[in-house]
Amino acid sequence: MDTIATDGVAGQDFRGETARARRRKSYTLEEKQRLVAESCEPGASVSLVARRHDINANLLFTWRRQMRPPASAASPLELIPVEVISSVPAAAPPPPAAGAEQRGVIEIVLVGGVRVRVDAEVSEAALRRVLSALKAAA
């Protein structure tokens, strides 16, 4: 059985030689930007890019997060055209389920004739996702 003996002095190996201090590699902003851009390419894997350049994937994820634009600088919300119709539509919508209340119901009729009915309790984020999905499907 192999054993490694130490002489009890920190920083020295069993032969009494001082271990070389490990220094962290520092990266320039250009290097970081290049690696982040490479990791953001379609089909790229952050872990494979990190391994290829001999860095920890968590470090690359940190750089990606640091270089992401702030939420306020992201693209503004896209507005979709809305037409307000005050008359009753030709085809009446189906009656609400038994026990359902009619207060605060909003009906949105999209260009393709698709109707979206939501009540006042719907979250803005959920409605935005539904409208985005319908727009993408059109």
Side-chain angles (χ1 to χ4, degrees), residues 11-109:
Q12 292 184 348
D13 65 11
F14 68 96
R15 293 178 302 251
E17 297 174 6
T18 304
R20 282 187 273 163
R22 243 181 148 180
R23 295 178 49 105
R24 291 184 181 178
K25 179 173 177 0
S26 60
Y27 295 89
T28 65
L29 180 60
E30 291 77 24
E31 288 174 312
K32 292 177 184 180
Q33 289 172 334
R34 184 177 50 79
L35 292 172
V36 166
E38 184 179 337
S39 73
C40 290
E41 290 178 6
S45 164
V46 173
S47 156
L48 291 177
V49 171
R51 215 176 296 152
R52 188 170 37 249
H53 295 283
D54 197 30
I55 63 172
N56 187 297
N58 290 328
L59 181 60
L60 186 50
F61 275 116
T62 299
W63 293 344
R64 285 170 54 120
R65 189 174 49 256
Q66 290 171 344
M67 293 182 191
R68 184 176 24 203
S72 61
S75 62
L77 298 176
E78 182 180 339
L79 300 177
I80 58 173
V82 175
E83 181 181 348
V84 178
I85 302 174
S86 60
S87 64
V88 178
E101 297 181 18
Q102 282 290 63
R103 68 180 174 90
V105 174
I106 300 171
E107 181 174 314
I108 303 168
V109 181

